[in-house]
Amino acid sequence: MIKIKNVDLNLKDTITCGQIFRFYEEDDNSFTVILSDRVVNLKMNNNDLIIKSNNEDNLENIIIGYLDLDRNYNILNKELLKKDETLKDIIESCKGFKIMKTPVFETIISFILSQNNSVPIIKKALDNISEKYGDKVIFEDKKYYLFPDQKKLSNVSIDDYRNLKTGFRDKYIYEFVQKVNNNEFDLNKIYSLNTKDALDYLITNKGIGMKVASCILLFAYQRLDVFPIDTWVKKYMKENYNLNNQKEIEKYVDERYKEYSGLFIQYIFHYNRNKK
DNA sequence: CCCCAGGTCGTCA
DNA sequence: TGACGACATGGG
């Protein structure tokens, strides 16, 4: 067990707001997440974060990175507030909310699955893939399956994916995995690209459009300057700002919030989700 | 039974 | 460019 004292973290909202899919809320209000090569249980005890895992190697650093605990959100929030003072209440309500740093490969598969799909079904498909091709881990007497890496999926066919309930996205996942394994798509190249080029590079994959690419950049690559525009955001921006299409929204958000626009979108999503 | 899910693709003006 | 239907699946 590891304890990180005095963290500024809203664990529940951060875990459950749609950044990751494979997590379990436990009876003691802790969360068990399946993270790359291990299973981790996270629990807040007052302001301390209690961490347990089947694998404690480098665990504290991994969780600090995963939950973005090293970033100074106070500075970000101040910058955001400077750009738009009307965000005061929203920003305050998002205290402790973090943009997670999620595993790249799994995140891309997850968000390919997310198109025209609902969260429980996305989760089910990810679990199916993991149970079939991922390594088994026993943690506190329970069985879990890690999400497989690209090598483990190299021989999986479109039909295999279909049988795991990925729906019509089966071919997209297949093609993406093939391209990664054949070095036709380089996950590390993203780090060296600016945000616009990274988006253009991501959408060269079938099944990845602008929204999915934005989620990938925001969550897996920590690009806080992208803003995933989906049906929810469109509706919200129309109702509150009278912006009627994607172009108008992009222009508005980019002009006002620039390098923090991803944070801005996550904050208003989070705020409105909790409001009702 | 119909509708929808934090979309994207292919097709046709 | 821009609009529009199709798309697998499961839950309401």
Side-chain angles (χ1 to χ4, degrees):
Chain A
M1 190 202 82
I2 292 175
K3 182 191 282 193
I4 305 180
K5 290 198 169 183
N6 209 18
V7 293
D8 175 28
L9 172 65
N10 181 334
L11 179 65
K12 183 188 172 94
D13 288 350
T14 298
I15 295 286
T16 63
C17 75
Q19 305 188 64
I20 59 168
F21 297 92
R22 302 191 69 215
F23 65 86
Y24 304 92
E25 185 163 11
E26 310 290 356
D27 292 337
D28 64 351
N29 297 320
S30 69
F31 289 86
T32 302
V33 299
I34 302 169
L35 171 56
S36 306
D37 63 343
R38 65 193 74 191
V39 176
V40 183
N41 179 264
L42 301 163
K43 183 173 167 62
M44 291 302 291
N45 184 3
N46 297 318
N47 287 323
D48 301 336
L49 176 63
I50 313 291
I51 311 166
K52 297 178 198 166
S53 174
N54 66 300
N55 177 359
E56 297 210 337
D57 291 350
N58 200 28
L59 184 59
E60 181 167 347
N61 284 331
I62 287 173
I63 295 303
I64 287 172
Y66 183 56
L67 295 174
D68 205 25
L69 299 179
D70 262 355
R71 193 191 302 273
N72 190 331
Y73 277 72
N74 286 330
I75 293 176
L76 289 184
N77 290 343
K78 271 184 195 146
E79 292 297 317
L80 200 52
L81 193 57
K82 236 188 277 177
K83 291 171 187 294
D84 184 350
E85 299 213 339
T86 67
L87 295 177
K88 191 163 184 293
D89 290 346
I90 294 181
I91 290 172
E92 279 175 10
S93 80
C94 292
K95 182 172 162 41
F97 177 84
K98 307 291 185 183
I99 307 286
M100 297 171 71
K101 183 171 175 56
T102 60
V104 169
F105 181 69
E106 178 179 346
T107 300
I108 296 178
I109 304 289
S110 301
F111 281 93
I112 289 176
L113 278 168
S114 76
Q115 70 162 273
N116 201 39
N117 209 350
S118 57
V119 170
I121 303 176
I122 299 168
K123 184 166 157 41
K124 191 79 171 72
L126 292 169
D127 284 342
N128 289 340
I129 293 171
S130 305
E131 282 169 29
K132 184 115 190 217
Y133 302 107
D135 291 335
K136 179 161 75 171
V137 167
I138 304 288
F139 173 61
E140 297 189 335
D141 298 327
K142 280 194 192 158
K143 262 190 307 193
Y144 299 89
Y145 291 88
L146 304 177
F147 193 79
D149 63 18
Q150 50 262 43
K151 290 283 178 293
K152 288 199 167 69
L153 296 180
S154 59
N155 291 318
V156 181
S157 70
I158 297 181
D159 282 345
D160 292 332
Y161 288 120
R162 177 61 63 91
N163 291 332
L164 297 173
K165 306 302 175 190
T166 57
F168 63 89
R169 311 154 194 92
D170 53 0
K171 52 193 177 295
Y172 303 145
I173 296 173
Y174 172 81
E175 283 179 31
F176 173 72
V177 172
Q178 290 299 308
K179 282 172 77 173
V180 171
N181 278 324
N182 297 333
N183 298 318
E184 293 164 39
F185 189 83
D186 181 0
L187 299 172
N188 292 320
K189 185 175 167 183
I190 308 273
Y191 294 107
S192 66
L193 299 175
N194 67 41
T195 295
K196 187 187 175 311
D197 291 343
L199 287 170
D200 286 341
Y201 186 52
L202 278 167
I203 66 174
T204 61
N205 294 289
K206 289 272 181 291
I208 300 183
M210 284 306 281
K211 191 270 171 178
V212 166
S214 303
C215 285
I216 293 166
L217 278 191
L218 180 57
F219 301 139
Y221 292 93
Q222 298 266 295
R223 294 289 180 85
L224 269 51
D225 58 337
V226 297
F227 43 102
I229 297 176
D230 53 45
T231 49
W232 186 90
V233 172
K234 277 182 188 157
K235 186 157 163 274
Y236 180 85
M237 298 306 273
K238 183 174 169 57
E239 283 169 4
N240 292 277
Y241 298 87
N242 195 29
L243 301 170
N244 290 300
N245 60 56
Q246 178 127 359
K247 278 265 165 6
E248 285 180 22
I249 297 171
E250 279 178 12
K251 189 162 179 291
Y252 181 90
V253 173
D254 195 45
E255 279 176 359
R256 276 166 189 71
Y257 309 116
K258 280 199 214 50
E259 65 268 41
Y260 311 113
S261 47
L263 195 62
F264 163 75
I265 289 280
Q266 283 304 111
Y267 276 4
I268 61 172
F269 182 66
H270 173 260
Y271 175 77
N272 284 279
R273 185 168 168 262
N274 283 355
K275 209 167 52 175
K276 58 171 184 171

